[in-house]
Amino acid sequence: MQAGGGKMPEHGAPGTGVETMTTRRKPGTAPKISNDAVAAKTGKTWKQWSAILDRAGGRKMTHQQLVSVLTKSYDLVPWWQQMVAVGYEQTHGLRAKHETTSGYQVSRSKTMAAPVGDVFEAWGNARKRAQWLPGARLTIRKATENKNLRITWGDGTMIEVGLFSKGARKTQIAVQHGRLASARAAAAQKAYWGDALDRLAQLLTA
């Protein structure tokens, strides 16, 4: 399923996922996952994980090396290995805002007064989609009715959409846009999706 035409924010090539020490930035920021959540799921707080990885020489390691330390020595599922490594990098300024191992990634969410089926249709119906994503070039690779969509954007970057019914006429939508080439592209897309979801909410409640 495709839609064409119009000019979208420019991004350049998707990220390669290759990290070097020269690309890392400071200062650090708080991890996006809360201290309570990481403690509940891993058995350790962010402070404890930071001390562990510091002792292993983490501040001079790449993301892959951090994950390797966690894989070898701690009983964490792969997803939490990644999240602990990312949280450590964020804390110590080893990762720029929105940066992942495969480029930059941003997300936007919004709760709107519309049934989940209407929100899902607004993505899949090209005529309706053109009303709130004018000029968008995209390919819907996979869609699970009223649940989620996986989309390739016109520049080759990737989008995941989650739909969550909150009642008969209330739906939360979450859009994650990944593999963006730069912090500038990430900031542009974060603003773009904020405006787009506002347009969608207005369309569905008109």
Side-chain angles (χ1 to χ4, degrees):
M1 193 183 305
Q2 296 183 328
K7 185 177 181 181
M8 305 304 299
E10 296 180 358
H11 307 301
T16 63
V18 177
E19 294 189 16
T20 64
M21 295 307 297
T22 57
T23 64
R24 297 189 166 199
R25 299 170 175 87
K26 297 179 180 180
T29 59
K32 293 183 179 180
I33 299 175
S34 72
N35 196 59
D36 288 344
V38 74
K41 295 297 184 179
T42 70
K44 292 180 175 60
T45 64
W46 280 123
K47 184 176 181 179
Q48 290 171 315
W49 282 121
S50 181
I52 288 168
L53 292 173
D54 275 349
R55 288 196 297 271
R59 300 197 194 198
K60 295 183 179 181
M61 291 182 177
T62 66
H63 177 81
Q64 289 81 3
Q65 289 170 329
L66 290 170
V67 171
S68 180
V69 170
L70 296 168
T71 301
K72 291 177 181 178
S73 303
Y74 299 93
D75 185 22
L76 298 175
V77 297
W79 192 86
W80 277 106
Q81 293 168 5
Q82 293 288 334
M83 292 305 99
V84 169
V86 167
Y88 177 81
E89 290 171 312
Q90 290 169 340
T91 298
H92 297 293
L94 307 179
R95 181 178 293 269
K97 185 178 181 181
H98 304 312
E99 187 180 8
T100 74
T101 57
S102 57
Y104 289 75
Q105 177 177 288
V106 294
S107 60
R108 280 284 194 177
S109 65
K110 189 175 183 68
T111 299
M112 48 195 68
V116 67
D118 290 358
V119 181
F120 182 77
E121 185 183 14
W123 281 93
N125 184 301
R127 181 182 60 80
K128 290 187 176 181
R129 187 171 63 236
Q131 296 179 61
W132 66 281
L133 283 180
R137 295 176 289 110
L138 59 88
T139 300
I140 297 178
R141 305 192 318 276
K142 182 178 180 181
T144 302
E145 186 174 6
N146 298 343
K147 295 290 185 182
N148 54 64
L149 304 99
R150 293 183 180 179
I151 296 167
T152 300
W153 204 237
D155 60 0
T157 55
M158 300 297 176
I159 297 170
E160 293 192 12
V161 180
L163 304 177
F164 309 93
S165 178
K166 300 296 183 179
R169 295 194 57 83
K170 193 173 185 180
T171 302
Q172 182 183 27
I173 180 171
V175 177
Q176 181 174 284
H177 197 154
R179 298 191 184 180
L180 298 165
S182 66
R184 182 178 179 180
Q189 283 307 102
K190 192 171 183 68
Y192 173 81
W193 284 113
D195 292 341
L197 294 183
D198 285 346
R199 291 194 298 269
L200 176 58
Q202 291 171 6
L203 173 68
L204 294 175
T205 57

